[in-house]
Amino acid sequence: MTDTARIEQDIQAARARLEGTVNELAYRAQPQVIAERQLQGLRLRIAAATHTEDGELRIERIGAVVAAAVVVVVAVGLLRRRRR
C-alpha cells in the first residue's frame, strides 16, 4: 500500500469516527433525551435516599420528610389565618 493510499484510508477512518461522534452528540442534545436522563437521575437519587442498599425502606428518612411537610403545611395555614 502506498503512502497516499494509507493517508486516504486514515482520513476515511477519521471521518467515520467523527461522524459517529457528531451523531452521538446530536442525539444527547435532544431535549427529550436530556429530560429523560434528568428524570432517570432523579429516580435514582430518590431511590437511594429512601431505600437501603438491601432494598428496604428507610423509615426514619421518610418519616422526617413527612414530618417536615406537615410542619410546612401547618405553618402556611397559621400564617394565612393571621393575615385575615
Side-chain angles (χ1 to χ4, degrees):
M1 184 180 284
T2 66
D3 286 339
T4 304
R6 190 175 306 121
I7 291 171
E8 287 176 359
Q9 190 178 28
D10 289 345
I11 290 171
Q12 289 299 329
R15 282 183 181 158
R17 285 192 309 270
L18 181 59
E19 180 182 8
T21 301
V22 169
N23 289 340
E24 179 66 23
L25 289 173
Y27 172 75
R28 288 183 183 188
Q30 293 176 355
Q32 63 269 24
V33 173
I34 294 170
E36 182 60 36
R37 206 169 43 238
Q38 294 294 325
L39 184 60
Q40 183 64 24
L42 178 62
R43 286 180 185 147
L44 290 174
R45 286 192 304 271
I46 289 173
T50 59
H51 293 80
T52 64
E53 294 164 358
D54 299 332
E56 297 179 22
L57 282 176
R58 293 183 176 186
I59 302 299
E60 71 283 354
R61 285 190 180 179
I62 294 171
V65 169
V66 169
V70 168
V71 167
V72 167
V73 169
V74 168
V76 168
L78 291 174
L79 287 174
R80 285 188 176 180
R81 282 189 181 176
R82 280 190 168 179
R83 289 184 181 176
R84 290 183 184 177

